[in-house]
Structure formats: structure tokens, C-alpha cells
């Protein structure tokens, strides 16, 4: 290594180093590109959709893919492509909002548990264990059932079901960081606990939370599609990939294309988030330095 | 070992109590008056009064919780409003179907995941490794209800080889049962196979770089013996415990698979209960699943200690 490259390596911040490592992972870049395409489609759904996703056309019921309808039409003549594009909005929103909710609840609770320790930690961990004992989807179904079927309630249900993972992760990270010398030093100069937690501990646990957050978005998108498939998420006629598949399973012999496109969309988005999550983990984990 | 078991039970008891509190608390999420919600759309004042008296809805919440838990401890999960049957009886009827599906799915997961994980580790960095990782990523990213629909389209609608839905008890027709269960078991086992593959690969990579493997090779042992007898036997320990934990997840995944293939199991019971607003059934199923999951966790821990002599001390 020459002096110049050594200097360049030394002065790079951890974030820049992580970004450089992420940029070397082709899988993660492809994933990121696909996610961006879906984000753009979701934001500009009204512009990109060739038809109104809820407009019915009784002259075009269950028509196969054609120049007029690239992905075909559904059982009441709605354009499948337009519904897939608008469905991206529901799926991505559900993924992002439910993970934000899980992070919003999980980080403070995990930090309190990890920082306080003792009885508070024990109590919070038993509660977290209790939530983790209820399998993710079953808890989400039960919550959605009691809250009532709607996209907003599905997001709340998924967010609450995903919260214990973030509580556990944050607690473990805080416990590891709080014994570091720089935290001891911050405590020694008289910083109050809230300031130590927010200014010194939180920035150091962000990478692990980012990786888990990205992977949880993928799980949340599948969970939203699952709840919508069961009729507990997005309600008709608003489009959602899960509810489109639920309808499509009744027309498999007459209109198989109805089942193909929403499924491929879920697969692509989930795969992309998994690729980005795996890439981020490799880039942020020193053991995976490449 | 005894001390370990006592300690594990001591942690499990408060967890089960908290689980019951969470599940009971779900009822408090019902918007408005629970009696009105349970009465359905008619909202007959007499029915509402009857429900209020029957479920002691005028009592304070802690009293109602204690009454509910008292019943659960004695095996009384309440009564299904729609079917007018005890919830425990419904659970006992449906559970064997889901357990059969979960066992078959686990078999599929083991048969796909473990060989793929071993192959991937042995061929680390080669084409076979990349292919196995791609298959695992595919398994983790495919929604199982969509995979189910696609398999129905191919094997039932197009080829006509397998039934699209339904369930035949194995006691009636074993071959018919297997034909009906093969697609759901593959769909449900697919994602677990991916998880198994990743864990087997990681464990094998760690084991294969150990000194005793190098020694085994230096002794001139056949590669097959090195990989399976010395390598996999040690790598299998974490995979076994993972299998027990994933079995709990299968109960959750079964909800959608049973819905797609119209299998009258545990999952279909909870979904039907949700739409019938049969809240006692929802609470009963969630409580049973959570308890089963905790028991599997405990069994996994015990298995881990049993197969790992270093942890017994």
C-alpha cells in the first residue's frame, strides 16, 4: 500500500467506508435499483398508470395481455397493470410505515431496558419474550382482527408485531456500547443519562438497526400482502397486491395472468429489500470487509 | 441439567403469564363496547344484555382476566359464538391436521435445506455455492400464498396431477392424503428450507475450517467421511435447535397455506374465526400457538444442552 492510498483509507469516515463496500456488492446495487424503480412507480402511480385502477370496463372482462392492456384485465374489466402500479403504493407504504412504527417503539424501549438494567430490564424483556412467543403473522392477524380490517390497522398490527425484534436488538446493542470507554468518559464529565443515550449510544447502534430495518421492510411487505390476501388489509376497490391475489385465485382457469403480476411484484420488491439488507449487513459488519 | 431446567421454567412462567395478558388485552382493542361488537349487526338490546352478563363485561378488567385465566388453566378457552362448541374441542379437532402439515413441511425443509447448505459450504465460492444461495434468496423472498397459487396453476389446472384443494385424512386414504398435502408441504417448507440452508452453510463453513478437519484430511480420510462424519455431525447441533424453533414458525405460516389449499386446520380455524368475529376462538388459537412456541423453545434449549457436552457442566 502506498502512502497516498494509506492516507485515503485513514481519513475515510466509517460511513464512507461502508458506502464504498456497499457499492462493491452488485446484488445490493441491483436490489437498490429495483427498490428505487418501485418507489418512483408508487409516487408517480397516477402518472404512470395507463388507466384508473378502480375503473371497470364490462366490455373487457378477463381479457389476456394485449397492446391495450399489457398485463390483461381482471374479473370486472379493471386494468391489471394500473392496479399493480397503484398496489406498489400500498405495499411500500405498509412496509415503511410499519417499520417506522416498530422502530419508534422498539428503540426507546430497548434503550431504556439496555441502559437501566435490573428490574426494569427484566420486566421489559419478559413482556418482549411474551410478544415474541406469538408468531409474527398470527399476532398481526389477531391484532388486525380486533382493530378491524383496513390498511392503516394492518400497518399498526404489523408494526406492533415487529416491535419486539427491535427492542431485543436495541437492548443488546446498548448493552455492548454502554461499557465502551467513550461512554464512560461522557458519564465521567457529568452528562445526564438521556444525553449519553441520545448523543453517544444511539449513533453507534444505528448500523445494526438499519440492517434489521431493511430486512424487516421485506417481511412487512409480505405481511401486508398476507393480511390483504386474507381480507384484513387494504379493502376493495382500492388496489393491493395481496387482495389482487386473493381475487385471482378464484379465476385461475379463466384468467391466470391475474395471479402472475401481483405475485411477481411482491417477489421482486421483497427480493430487492433482502438483497439491500444482506449488502448493508456485509458492508457494515467489519468481519465482512472486502 | 436440573438447575438449568428449573432456571428455564422460572423464565418461562412469567412469559406465559404475559402472553395470556397480551392475548386477553386484545379484546380491549375492540372499538367501542365489546358487547355491541360481539352482538353482531342486529344489536338487539336483549342480546347485548345477555352477552354482557355471560362474559361479565361489567366487572373490572383484572377480575375478567382472572376469570378467563382460571378457565384456561382448566382447559376451558370459552365457547365459539358461531359454532356453539367449546374452543378447546375445536382446537383439538383441527390441531392434528396442522401438525401433519408442519411435519411434512419440516421434512421438505430438511431434505432441501441441509444438502443444499452442505453443498454450498463444500463448494464455497464456486458456481454451486452461488446457485444454492440464489435458491435460498428465492425461498426467502417468495410469498408462500403466491407460490401455492402458482403450483395449483401448474400441477392442478394445467397438468391435472394433484388436487387443487381439500384434505383427506390419512386414516381414510393415505395416498390421497399425501397427494393433497404434497403441494402445501412444499409451499410451507420452501422458506424454512432457505433458512436451514443458510444456517447449515454457515455452521459447515465454520466446522470445515477447524483443526480437527485438517487433521482428518491429513490422516488421508476420504472426503465424504470428512464432510459427513467429522464435519456435518458437528455442524448439525445448531441446525437441530434451529429446526425446533422453525417448527413454531410453521404454525404461523400454515395460516396462509391452509387458506390457499382449503385445508381445514388450525390456520383456517383462526381466519374463519376472524371473519365470524368469533373472538374466543382467536384468543384460544393465539394462546395455544404461543404456548406451543415457548415449549418448542424450551425443547430446543434442552436438545442443545443434551447434544453439546460442554454446556452440561
Amino acid at each position: 500500500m502506498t502512502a497516498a492510498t494509506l492516507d485515503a483509507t485513514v481519513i475515510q469516515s466509517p460511513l464512507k467506508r461502508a458506502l464504498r463496500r456497499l457499492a462493491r456488492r452488485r446484488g445490493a446495487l441491483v436490489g437498490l435499483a429495483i427498490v428505487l424503480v418501485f418507489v418512483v412507480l408508487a409516487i408517480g402511480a397516477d402518472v404512470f398508470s395507463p388507466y384508473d385502477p378502480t375503473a371497470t370496463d364490462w366490455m373487457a372482462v378477463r381479457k389476456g395481455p394485449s397492446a391495450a392492456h399489457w398485463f390483461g384485465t381482471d374479473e370486472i374489466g379493471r386494468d391489471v397493470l394500473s392496479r399493480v402500479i397503484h398496489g406498489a403504493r400500498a405495499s411500500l407504504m405498509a412496509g415503511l410505515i410499519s417499520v417506522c412504527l416498530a422502530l419508534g417503539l422498539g428503540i426507546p424501549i430497548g434503550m431504556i431496558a439496555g441502559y437501566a438494567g435490573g428490574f426494569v430490564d427484566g420486566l421489559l424483556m419478559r413482556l418482549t419474550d411474551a410478544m415474541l412467543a406469538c408468531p409474527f403473522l398470527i399476532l398481526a392477524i389477531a391484532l388486525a382482527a380486533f382493530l378491524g380490517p383496513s390498511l392503516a390497522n394492518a400497518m399498526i398490527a404489523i408494526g406492533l408485531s415487529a416491535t419486539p425484534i427491535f427492542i431485543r436488538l436495541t437492548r443488546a446493542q446498548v448493552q455492548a456500547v454502554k461499557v465502551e470507554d467513550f461512554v464512560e468518559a461522557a458519564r465521567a464529565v457529568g452528562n445526564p443519562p438521556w444525553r449519553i443515550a441520545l448523543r453517544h449510544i444511539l449513533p453507534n447502534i444505528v448500523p445494526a438497526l438499519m440492517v434489521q430495518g431493511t430486512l424487516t421492510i421485506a417481511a412487512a411487505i409480505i405481511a401486508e400482502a398476507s393480511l390483504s390476501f386474507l381480507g384484513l388489509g387494504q379493502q376493495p376497490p382500492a388496489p393491493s397486491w395481496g387482495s389482487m391475489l386473493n381475487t385471482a385465485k378464484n379465476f385461475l382457469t379463466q384468467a391466470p395472468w391475474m395471479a402472475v403480476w401481483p405475485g411477481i411484484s411482491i417477489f421482486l420488491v421483497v427480493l430487492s429489500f433482502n438483497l439491500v439488507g444482506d449488502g448493508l449487513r456485509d458492508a457494515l459488519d467489519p468481519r465482512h470487509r472486502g | 441439567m436440573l438447575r438449568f431446567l428449573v432456571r428455564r421454567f422460572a423464565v418461562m412462567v412469567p412469559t406465559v403469564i404475559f402472553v395470556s395478558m397480551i392475548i386477553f388485552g386484545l379484546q380491549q382493542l375492540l372499538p367501542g363496547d365489546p358487547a355491541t361488537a360481539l352482538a353482531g349487526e342486529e344489536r338487539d338490546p336483549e342480546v347485548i344484555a345477555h352477552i354482557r352478563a355471560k362474559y361479565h363485561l361489567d366487572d373490572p378488567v383484572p377480575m375478567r382476566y382472572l376469570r378467563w385465566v382460571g378457565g384456561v388453566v382448566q382447559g376451558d378457552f370459552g365457547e365459539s359464538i358461531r359454532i356453539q362448541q367449546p374452543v378447546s374441542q375445536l382446537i383439538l379437532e383441527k390441531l392434528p391436521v396442522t401438525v401433519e402439515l408442519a411435519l411434512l413441511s419440516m421434512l421438505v425443509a430438511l431434505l432441501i435445506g441441509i444438502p443444499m447448505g452442505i453443498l454450498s459450504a463444500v463448494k464455497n465460492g464456486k458456481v454451486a455455492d452461488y446457485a444454492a444461495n440464489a435458491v435460498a434468496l428465492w425461498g426467502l423472498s417468495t410469498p408462500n400464498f403466491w407460490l401455492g397459487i402458482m403450483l395449483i396453476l401448474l400441477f392442478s389446472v394445467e397438468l391435472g396431477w394433484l388436487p387443487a384443494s381439500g384434505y383427506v385424512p390419512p386414516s381414510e386414504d393415505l395416498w390421497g392424503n399425501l397427494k393433497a398435502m404434497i403441494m402445501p408441504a412444499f409451499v410451507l417448507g420452501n422458506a424454512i428450507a432457505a433458512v436451514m440452508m443458510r444456517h447449515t452453510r454457515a455452521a459447515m463453513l465454520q466446522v470445515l475450517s477447524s483443526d480437527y478437519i485438517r487433521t482428518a484430511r491429513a490422516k488421508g480420510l476420504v472426503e465424504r467421511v470428512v464432510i459427513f462424519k467429522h464435519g456435518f455431525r458437528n455442524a448439525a447441533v445448531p441446525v437441530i435447535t434451529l429446526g425446533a424453533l422453525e417448527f413454531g414458525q410453521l404454525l404461523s405460516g400454515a395460516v396462509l397455506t391452509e387458506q390457499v389449499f382449503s385445508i381445514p386446520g388450525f390456520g383456517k380455524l383462526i381466519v374463519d374465526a376472524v371473519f365470524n368475529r368469533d373472538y374466543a376462538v382467536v384468543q384460544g388459537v393465539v394462546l395455544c400457538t404461543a404456548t406451543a412456541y415457548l415449549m418448542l423453545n424450551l425443547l430446543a434449549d434442552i436438545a442443545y444442552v443434551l447434544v453439546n457436552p460442554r454446556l452440561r457442566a
Side-chain angles (χ1 to χ4, degrees):
Chain A
M1 195 181 277
T2 64
T5 53
L6 187 66
D7 282 352
T9 311
V10 171
I11 57 167
Q12 267 188 346
S13 68
L15 179 70
K16 273 190 181 167
R17 274 205 304 274
L19 284 175
R20 188 170 52 83
R21 284 197 294 272
L22 185 66
R24 279 204 218 129
R25 293 174 200 279
R26 252 178 291 169
L29 291 181
V30 170
L32 203 59
I34 299 174
V35 167
L36 283 176
V37 168
F38 274 98
V39 168
V40 170
L41 281 177
I43 293 170
D46 295 326
V47 179
F48 296 116
S49 296
Y51 299 91
D52 177 348
T54 55
T56 56
D57 179 358
W58 297 103
M59 300 302 287
V61 171
R62 293 198 304 266
K63 295 285 181 204
S66 63
H69 300 280
W70 290 2
F71 287 5
T73 61
D74 68 7
E75 82 286 3
I76 47 175
R78 292 174 299 196
D79 182 56
V80 173
L81 173 61
S82 305
R83 290 182 70 73
V84 166
I85 292 173
H86 275 85
R89 197 178 273 182
S91 284
L92 291 176
M93 249 173 58
L96 283 174
I97 293 175
S98 52
V99 170
C100 285
L101 177 67
L103 282 167
L105 290 170
I107 293 176
I109 298 173
M111 287 190 82
I112 290 169
Y115 199 79
F119 174 75
V120 176
D121 179 34
L123 182 72
L124 290 172
M125 279 310 102
R126 292 294 78 74
L127 262 170
T128 309
D129 284 348
M131 282 185 80
L132 280 170
C134 305
F136 181 70
L137 188 61
I138 295 222
L139 186 60
I141 288 173
L143 278 166
F146 281 93
L147 289 166
S150 74
L151 182 62
N153 285 344
M155 288 192 254
I156 295 172
I158 296 165
L160 288 177
S161 305
T163 300
I165 303 165
F166 290 102
I167 296 178
R168 273 241 170 245
L169 181 65
T170 308
R171 173 183 174 264
Q173 295 286 319
V174 169
Q175 282 181 334
V177 173
K178 77 174 182 183
V179 292
E180 295 281 343
D181 289 344
F182 65 89
V183 177
E184 289 291 337
R187 200 176 293 132
V189 295
N191 278 301
W194 65 266
R195 192 181 166 89
I196 295 171
L198 292 180
R199 291 288 299 272
H200 300 279
I201 296 179
L202 187 60
N204 284 287
I205 65 170
V206 165
L209 291 168
M210 263 171 67
V211 174
Q212 187 59 43
T214 313
L215 294 171
T216 308
I217 290 177
I221 288 172
I222 290 202
E224 185 279 326
S226 304
L227 289 178
S228 294
F229 179 76
L230 294 171
L232 293 168
Q234 180 82 295
Q235 295 300 297
S240 140
W241 294 338
S243 59
M244 287 171 78
L245 282 172
N246 189 21
T247 311
K249 85 174 196 298
N250 302 322
F251 299 96
L252 278 184
T253 45
Q254 305 99 324
W257 57 86
M258 281 171 63
V260 172
W261 304 111
I264 289 178
S265 307
I266 300 172
F267 170 72
L268 276 177
V269 170
V270 173
L271 176 76
S272 308
F273 275 108
N274 279 333
L275 283 170
V276 175
D278 282 357
L280 268 178
R281 187 184 49 210
D282 292 349
L284 294 168
D285 187 343
R287 286 167 300 181
H288 287 83
R289 269 177 196 172
Chain B
M1 185 69 184
L2 186 69
R3 200 191 298 164
F4 165 77
L5 277 176
V6 170
R7 210 171 49 227
R8 269 310 261 106
F9 265 114
V11 174
M12 200 176 139
V13 170
T15 308
V16 173
I17 293 171
F18 278 130
V19 167
S20 69
M21 282 180 177
I22 290 171
I23 291 166
F24 181 79
L26 287 175
Q27 209 178 53
Q28 311 309 313
L29 291 176
L30 279 173
D33 179 18
T36 315
L38 290 168
E41 288 177 7
E42 290 172 14
R43 304 201 172 168
D44 183 343
E46 273 186 32
V47 176
I48 293 174
H50 173 72
I51 290 172
R52 194 170 282 284
K54 187 176 176 183
Y55 294 105
H56 308 279
L57 291 176
D58 289 326
D59 287 356
V61 174
M63 284 295 293
R64 274 157 47 203
Y65 167 72
L66 288 176
R67 192 172 282 119
W68 179 71
V69 163
V72 167
V73 170
Q74 296 170 57
D76 176 14
F77 290 85
E79 195 178 76
S80 160
I81 293 171
R82 291 288 158 147
I83 315 172
Q84 306 288 329
Q85 267 185 26
V87 174
S88 51
Q89 193 184 323
L90 283 172
I91 289 173
L92 285 175
E93 273 173 25
K94 308 289 183 186
L95 193 59
V97 180
T98 302
V99 169
E100 187 201 346
L101 176 61
L103 283 172
L104 287 171
S105 308
M106 186 49 80
L107 186 69
V108 170
L110 290 172
L111 287 176
I112 298 174
I114 290 181
M116 243 169 52
I118 295 174
L119 179 77
S120 176
V122 172
K123 304 278 180 194
N124 187 21
K126 305 226 170 80
V127 177
D129 180 28
Y130 290 119
N133 273 304
V135 172
L137 205 53
W138 175 80
L140 287 174
S141 309
T142 313
N144 62 11
F145 53 97
W146 179 60
L147 181 63
I149 292 171
M150 288 296 103
L151 290 182
I152 290 174
L153 194 59
L154 179 64
F155 291 105
S156 308
V157 177
E158 290 297 321
L159 301 170
W161 291 353
L162 295 166
S165 60
Y167 176 76
V168 185
S171 53
E172 274 179 28
D173 176 8
L174 186 60
W175 178 236
N177 172 268
L178 283 175
K179 273 176 75 172
M181 295 297 262
I182 193 162
M183 277 201 292
F186 178 78
V187 165
L188 197 49
N190 176 53
I192 309 288
V195 179
M196 287 272 178
M197 180 266 162
R198 283 188 160 191
H199 278 82
T200 308
R201 180 181 183 272
M204 280 296 284
L205 280 175
Q206 199 176 4
V207 167
L208 289 178
S209 62
S210 319
D211 287 342
Y212 63 86
I213 293 288
R214 214 167 296 140
T215 311
R217 284 196 177 121
K219 277 197 305 184
L221 287 179
V222 184
E223 190 61 16
R224 183 170 44 84
V225 176
V226 174
I227 289 168
F228 290 100
K229 195 175 168 194
H230 296 266
F232 181 63
R233 194 177 277 186
N234 286 289
V237 177
V239 179
I240 291 168
T241 51
L242 175 81
L245 295 178
E246 288 298 328
F247 197 82
Q249 291 298 328
L250 284 174
L251 296 174
S252 169
V255 175
L256 289 156
T257 313
E258 287 177 4
Q259 199 66 18
V260 171
F261 292 96
S262 303
I263 296 171
F266 215 52
K268 197 154 187 330
L269 179 68
I270 190 173
V271 173
D272 291 345
V274 164
F275 284 105
N276 292 331
R277 300 166 75 91
D278 208 341
Y279 299 112
V281 176
V282 176
Q283 284 176 321
V285 172
V286 179
L287 186 59
C288 276
T289 316
T291 312
Y293 188 71
L294 285 171
M295 291 304 292
L296 285 164
N297 249 311
L298 180 66
L299 287 176
D301 282 357
I302 293 172
Y304 198 67
V305 172
L306 284 177
V307 295
N308 195 342
R310 278 168 293 190
L311 292 175
R312 273 183 229 158

